[in-house]
Amino acid sequence: MITVNICGEEKPLQEINTEWISRIINRNRIQNKPVCVNVNISATTVNLNLQTLNCKGYEKAIGGSDIENRVIHLWEELVLSQNDLSGAVLFDFLKRMEEWVSFVPKEA
């Protein structure tokens, strides 16, 4: 399961679209509040909590497997490298995670 929390509003991936993401990001920017994004990925072979740099108590995710390391690398490349995170970029990352996680072979 993948859940996303943006500035305190949380939804499962199945209920997320770019409009929802952009609305929350833009609202917080207008209010001069930091945009904090937490993505929790909990699956058989991936168990990660990813955060943006603006989150209080930010901790860099540490992967234990090859797939987790690939997820972290993509998060850093697509999301953390953005000065002004856009809803489209975050949604692209989430859709990729949905594909990766659903096609990861289950461990016995």
Side-chain angles (χ1 to χ4, degrees):
M1 175 172 206
I2 299 174
T3 57
V4 180
N5 183 311
I6 306 174
C7 303
E9 294 190 35
E10 185 170 291
K11 286 189 176 193
L13 180 59
Q14 298 82 352
E15 296 177 18
I16 293 174
N17 57 43
T18 54
E19 292 79 20
W20 179 78
I21 295 170
S22 296
R23 181 178 49 80
I24 297 169
I25 289 173
N26 292 334
R27 181 185 65 213
N28 279 270
R29 284 193 181 133
I30 289 168
Q31 297 173 353
N32 290 318
K33 293 181 180 178
V35 176
C36 171
V37 177
N38 285 288
V39 176
N40 186 285
I41 304 170
S42 182
T44 304
T45 55
V46 178
N47 189 15
L48 291 171
N49 183 39
L50 306 168
Q51 300 175 313
T52 54
L53 300 173
N54 289 332
C55 295
K56 274 190 170 180
Y58 166 78
E59 290 185 29
K60 182 177 176 10
I62 299 171
S65 67
D66 183 52
I67 185 73
E68 287 179 340
N69 290 330
R70 288 180 18 219
V71 168
I72 292 167
H73 177 74
L74 187 63
W75 174 256
E76 292 172 349
E77 184 179 292
L78 287 180
V79 179
L80 293 187
S81 67
Q82 301 293 310
N83 289 330
D84 287 324
L85 178 62
S86 75
V89 168
L90 181 57
F91 190 72
D92 179 48
F93 171 81
L94 294 170
K95 283 302 176 185
R96 289 189 195 191
M97 288 308 95
E98 185 176 47
E99 292 170 10
W100 285 12
V101 170
S102 64
F103 290 106
V104 171
K106 295 190 184 235
E107 295 176 351

